[in-house]
Structures are given as structure tokens and as C-alpha cells.
Amino acid sequence: MTEIAASQPLTEPTGTAVPSSVPTHWYNLAADLPEPCPPALHPGTREPLGPEDLAPLFPMALIEQEVSTERWVEIPQTVREIYGRWRPSPLIRADRLERALGTPARIYYKYEGVSPAGSHKPNTAVAQAYYNAVEGTRKLTTETGAGQWGASLSLACSLLGLECEVWQVRASYDSKPYRRFQMETYGGVCHPSPSDLTESGRAILAADPDTTGSLGMAISEAVEVAAQDPEAHYALGSVLNHVLLHQSVIGIEALEQLDSIGESADIVFGCAGGGSNLAGLTFPFIGRNLRDGATTRVVACEPAACPSLTQGEYRYDHGDVAGLTPLLKMHTLGKDFVPPPIHAGGLRYHGMAPMVSHALELGLLSATAIEQDDAFRAGIEFARAEGIIPAPESTHAVAAAMAHARAATTDETIVIGLSGNGVLDLVAYEDYL
Ligand SMILES: *Cc1c(COP(=O)(O)O)cnc(C)c1O
């Protein structure tokens, strides 16, 4: 054990050994895109955003990453040390599922449920908390749907010595208290959204006192509080380029894990809410397709109840209801879209990451929409064959991959992004059963 002096800042490495298979760099697809992604626009002027527009909300290091076209971005040693607590995450052969399906295909899943929060979200939460702590931020604000992001950011803030204040979509706040208990255990403070603590929340409540809330509303509240407090910044758990960048550790590891057993993926399935776990797993594969002529296919799997990629328009839209956030070119159902309160709370966002949307337009990936019943049925089959209960979000990728494997006639290699485990979402399974 290394002795750590109490006065040593939490952002300093402790010197603990990190497994060499934890990546040293994040991968940025922007470096390999045949056409650049359309820029984010200022909500007032509709001109491309400058760093000064984002400075009230984000630390400079993340603003630079947001517009970076560098292919490899070094991961700070402190972040690698924290990743090393659960990374590399396992790549597991789903041999028992293969047998249950009677498929000639080989199925692997990259399992992000081993993180302390139970999903991929800490991969970016830790990085965002780190850069904020280094630049002197005292508090981070954010929104959360089902609560995974709020729990992940609370976890990261506790590790790096920041306060964390979370606005949680009212429908989930009322029906899914366990994530809130997780946030509070890590020292986070969680409010139901819309709340009467912000101007945007009060305006929404005045117009519709009984609203169940939406991620777009919660974002408005969290952004408003961060923008007004010089010591606070805002953190987003998906959608933005720097979030996708941090998540690339998933795919970098998966590529190496497949290489090390002489495998190469023919097709990769990931679930898509805002697009971060999908991009994290698949962009390193797409980059290799673009650079080396590999031919791995990528399928984004979204809920039929919130189908931004398969049904949304590709246009500039706001990320939030109040229109405080920049305009992003993305597949969107419209900022005022309030999805039905489906179980897969993490997939209820009205838009999609601009870089994922752009990749779909360029034909670098495809998309499919999965009905909720099919997703849960697949999740239960997966759990009974493999032992892991997938997060309700992840079951969308599982369902699409299982349908593909059932129809397979050759020994192709399938990779599933298992973005999280469902142990805190068992009520959703119970409702289905
Ligand atoms: C939040 C979440 C998602 C959806 O978010 P993305 O940004 O699309 O990855 C998917 N799976 C799990 C387990 C989540 O917690």
C-alpha cells in the first residue's frame, strides 16, 4: 500500500499499479471521419460556438476535447488509476447463450456492469470530475433519468472531492428510489425535476403542474444553476463529443481482447439512448474500418418508444426544453418530445449524439428500433443462459443480437455491448414478468 499524505490533492496519482491493459489514450473518431461533423451553434446567434460560450459550463480541458480532431488523447494517470479498479472490463464468450439459440455464430459481450455504479457511465464521470477538480471547480450539477448518470457522477465527485447536485426526472425520482439512495450514499444531492428551485423548473410547473418530467427539462435546471454559480460547472453524461471520447476505452479494450484470442468482429450491437456507450464500443471499430479497410458492421439499437435514429429528423435542435443549450445537428424527435415512461429510462432522450447521427448519415453504422417486450424477453433469456441480468437499456442490444444470431447460417463473430447490469432495475423486470 502506498501511504498518501492527507494534504495530497485527490487529483494527484497515488502511484498505485494500473493493469497494462487499461488504455493509455482515448480514441477520437473525428480524426478519421471522411467529412467533419457539423459544428454546435450558439442558441442565440446560430453562429458556431466558441470556447468562451462554453466556459461558464465546462472546464477548458473538456472544451478542447469537444472540438479536438486529434486521434489519440492521453488519459491522465489519476483517471487511469481509478479506471484500474474495474477496467479492463471483461469480454465474455456467451457460449451458453449460443447453445440456447442453436446458432453457428460466436457471441461475445463486453460487460460494463462491473463498474461501481453498474454501468459504463463512470468512464466519463471520472474523467469529467477529474478535469473539473484540476481547474478548481467546487460543485458539479447534472440531470439524470433513471438515475445511473446521477449515481455515476456522485461516485466520481466523491472520489475527486467535488460536490454533486442532481435533477432527476420526476417519474423516475418517484418510482426508482434506489439510484437516489446510491447518489446520497456517495454524498450527492438529488432533486425531482421539474423543481421550484430554478426559473426554468418554475416555468414548466406553472404550465403543467402534473408533468412527469423529461431529461430535457432536467438539463435546463442543471444548466441554469451551473451557469449562475461561478464555482459550479455542469456535466453531461452522454451526447457530447468529449463524453464519447472518454467512453472509447470500451472499444479499444474490446479490439485488443478480440485480437488476443485471434478473433475479429463481423458485427457489433450497442444500445443507443444519447449514444455514448454505443460510440464508446463501436467508434474504435469504425475507425479501424476507415483506416485499415476492416469491415465490422455496427448496429445501434434504440427503443421503438423513443426512436430518434430510426424516426427522428436530422436537423439542428436544442438539447433541453428551455433552449438554453447549444444547437446540435442530430437525429431528434424534437426538444419538447416527452417519451412514454418506458422502463429503459436511460434511453428516453429526444436526441442523439451528433457524432453518432453524423456516422449514420455517412453510412458508417445502421440503426434498428426494438419493442419493449422483445427487449425484456431477450434480457430474461440472456440472464437464464449467462447469469448476468442486463440493464433494461442493454436488453435492446441483446435482443437485436439474438435475432441476428438466430438467423445466422455461418460462424460469424457477434459482439454485444452490455452497457450495465439490471440489479437496481429488478422492478422493471418484475413489471414485465
Ligand atoms: C445511461 C445508460 C444507457 C444510455 O446512454 P447512452 O449514452 O446511449 O449510452 C445505456 N445503458 C445503460 C446501462 C445506461 O446506464
Side-chain angles (χ1 to χ4, degrees), residues 84-174:
R85 280 154 206 268
W86 70 90
R87 310 210 67 84
S89 68
L91 180 81
I92 301 170
R93 175 91 184 258
D95 47 4
R96 308 190 80 81
L97 180 66
E98 289 169 19
R99 195 162 63 184
L101 295 173
T103 177
R106 288 186 301 283
I107 306 174
Y108 294 87
Y109 52 98
K110 178 71 170 159
Y111 183 43
E112 290 296 308
V114 293
S115 83
S119 76
H120 65 291
K121 290 194 169 79
N123 296 332
T124 185
V126 168
Q128 293 191 47
Y130 169 81
Y131 289 116
N132 272 289
V134 166
E135 291 186 28
T137 307
R138 190 179 51 75
K139 177 171 89 176
L140 287 179
T141 70
T142 198
E143 73 294 333
T144 196
Q148 290 106 323
W149 172 241
S152 298
L153 193 68
S154 298
L155 154 73
C157 285
S158 72
L159 294 175
L160 288 149
L162 299 175
E163 290 173 33
C164 186
E165 191 170 10
V166 182
W167 275 263
Q168 181 171 26
V169 175
R170 158 80 66 190
S172 297
Y173 183 94
D174 291 336

Side-chain angles (χ1 to χ4, degrees), residues 239-254:
V239 178
L240 297 180
N241 297 340
H242 66 264
V243 179
L244 277 45
L245 176 78
H246 302 152
Q247 293 295 354
S248 67
V249 289
I250 306 171
I252 294 168
E253 288 174 5

Side-chain angles (χ1 to χ4, degrees), residues 107-392:
I107 306 174
Y108 294 87
Y109 52 98
K110 178 71 170 159
Y111 183 43
E112 290 296 308
V114 293
S115 83
S119 76
H120 65 291
K121 290 194 169 79
N123 296 332
T124 185
V126 168
Q128 293 191 47
Y130 169 81
Y131 289 116
N132 272 289
V134 166
E135 291 186 28
T137 307
R138 190 179 51 75
K139 177 171 89 176
L140 287 179
T141 70
T142 198
E143 73 294 333
T144 196
Q148 290 106 323
W149 172 241
S152 298
L153 193 68
S154 298
L155 154 73
C157 285
S158 72
L159 294 175
L160 288 149
L162 299 175
E163 290 173 33
C164 186
E165 191 170 10
V166 182
W167 275 263
Q168 181 171 26
V169 175
R170 158 80 66 190
S172 297
Y173 183 94
D174 291 336
S175 66
K176 299 183 175 171
Y178 287 102
R179 296 280 179 201
R180 172 157 52 87
F181 302 157
Q182 207 179 9
M183 292 179 228
E184 289 168 353
T185 301
Y186 288 127
V189 174
C190 180
H191 313 289
S193 169
S195 74
D196 60 6
L197 300 168
T198 65
E199 242 174 75
S200 39
R202 288 189 292 271
I204 295 162
L205 285 173
D208 182 3
D210 297 322
T211 178
T212 52
S214 71
L215 272 179
M217 295 177 197
I219 293 174
S220 293
E221 295 201 90
V223 165
E224 181 184 320
V225 169
Q228 287 171 359
D229 181 345
E231 295 194 304
H233 273 157
Y234 165 72
L236 190 61
S238 187
V239 178
L240 297 180
N241 297 340
H242 66 264
V243 179
L244 277 45
L245 176 78
H246 302 152
Q247 293 295 354
S248 67
V249 289
I250 306 171
I252 294 168
E253 288 174 5
L255 270 173
E256 196 181 299
Q257 287 163 321
L258 288 165
D259 277 351
S260 73
I261 51 172
E263 282 277 22
S264 96
D266 293 302
I267 187 161
V268 184
F269 294 88
C271 67
S276 74
N277 89 87
L278 172 85
L281 173 63
T282 66
F283 281 7
F285 287 86
I286 293 174
R288 210 182 46 158
N289 288 351
L290 290 167
R291 288 193 311 278
D292 306 341
T295 55
T296 302
R297 288 163 58 201
V298 168
V299 185
C301 310
E302 63 182 8
C306 194
S308 52
L309 278 173
T310 53
Q311 302 281 321
E313 288 177 67
Y314 185 50
R315 62 171 167 88
Y316 275 102
D317 194 10
H318 293 283
D320 69 323
V321 168
L324 301 173
T325 59
L327 287 158
L328 303 175
K329 181 100 184 255
M330 59 183 176
H331 289 90
T332 177
L333 298 163
K335 71 178 172 60
D336 298 313
F337 177 79
V338 177
I342 54 169
H343 298 308
L347 302 180
R348 299 180 74 224
Y349 190 58
H350 67 272
M352 182 55 61
M355 210 166 332
V356 170
S357 295
H358 185 59
L360 180 70
E361 287 301 301
L362 295 178
L364 304 178
L365 54 82
S366 60
T368 184
I370 306 290
E371 297 291 340
Q372 174 162 289
D373 277 2
D374 295 332
F376 271 110
R377 196 174 312 118
I380 287 167
E381 220 176 319
F382 184 93
R384 291 180 183 170
E386 291 296 316
I388 292 170
I389 300 177

Side-chain angles (χ1 to χ4, degrees), residues 19-61:
S20 62
S21 46
V22 173
T24 56
H25 292 74
W26 290 300
Y27 168 70
N28 183 4
L29 179 65
D32 291 317
L33 284 172
E35 287 170 39
C37 206
L41 304 182
H42 188 281
T45 64
R46 299 188 73 100
E47 292 295 319
L49 277 189
E52 65 289 351
D53 299 315
L54 293 171
L57 294 184
F58 300 107
M60 216 27 89

